[in-house]
Amino acid sequence: MRMTKKNRLFALAAGCLCVVLGACQSATPAKRIAANPVLFNSLPEQHRTMVQQGLICQGMSQNAVLLAWGSPDNRATGQTRDGRMYERWEYTAMQPVTTVHAGFGGWFGPGPYWYPYGGSGLDTTYIPRCAASVDFEDGQVARWMHNGR
């Protein structure tokens, strides 16, 4: 059986989609450690143990946080009250928000037929929310917030 040009293009597009979706999967700490063994081995023993569990602690380096939690979705810099600079990493999660919509009805066609045009039901939309943030001062974790990530 010979593949047509259309089938070859479809197979190529499907293959590309699989590659893209595979690259979008969130990595686990184990996968990040396996991809960066030298970086992981340069961490102190206590930090290595925490990184393997996906945990962070005060005093950890940015590299340790990258291995434990992955790349942040947003980065920002700021200044403390005493004038010291800090960097904040933010991690987002998508939160479902469900709303109810109701349609409007009216008369339809000749005769006494009620037709509920517009319909009604539930709609779910996903909005980003801050799931976690980490503040670094002098390249080390100064404080963090974790909200169900």
Side-chain angles (χ1 to χ4, degrees):
M1 182 172 155
R2 186 176 144 100
M3 284 186 80
T4 65
K5 185 176 180 180
K6 183 179 179 181
N7 287 343
R8 283 187 298 229
L9 288 174
F10 179 76
L12 178 64
C16 290
L17 180 63
C18 288
V19 169
V20 168
L21 291 177
C24 293
Q25 290 180 347
S26 62
T28 62
K31 289 180 182 178
R32 290 188 290 269
I33 291 167
N36 301 288
V38 174
L39 184 63
F40 177 72
N41 290 327
S42 70
L43 301 175
E45 180 62 35
Q46 177 192 6
H47 292 178
R48 284 197 301 257
T49 302
M50 293 188 76
V51 164
Q52 287 173 324
Q53 299 171 17
L55 303 173
I56 66 171
C57 67
Q58 195 168 11
M60 266 190 176
S61 66
Q62 290 179 332
N63 289 334
V65 175
L66 278 173
L67 290 174
W69 284 7
S71 297
D73 297 308
N74 298 303
R75 295 178 190 218
T77 57
Q79 189 173 9
T80 63
R81 288 184 183 183
D82 60 358
R84 294 177 22 173
M85 297 300 293
Y86 72 93
E87 183 174 1
R88 174 171 289 164
W89 290 4
E90 293 182 348
Y91 296 84
T92 57
M94 300 303 282
Q95 179 166 346
V97 176
T98 302
T99 56
V100 178
H101 69 274
F104 298 97
W107 296 106
F108 177 75
Y113 302 110
W114 176 256
Y115 176 71
Y117 59 85
S120 62
L122 300 175
D123 288 326
T124 301
T125 307
Y126 292 85
I127 59 169
R129 68 171 177 85
C130 183
S133 67
V134 184
D135 290 345
F136 296 96
E137 292 179 10
D138 299 323
Q140 295 184 333
V141 174
R143 62 198 147 275
W144 72 95
M145 180 276 305
H146 189 281
N147 187 18
R149 179 170 156 65

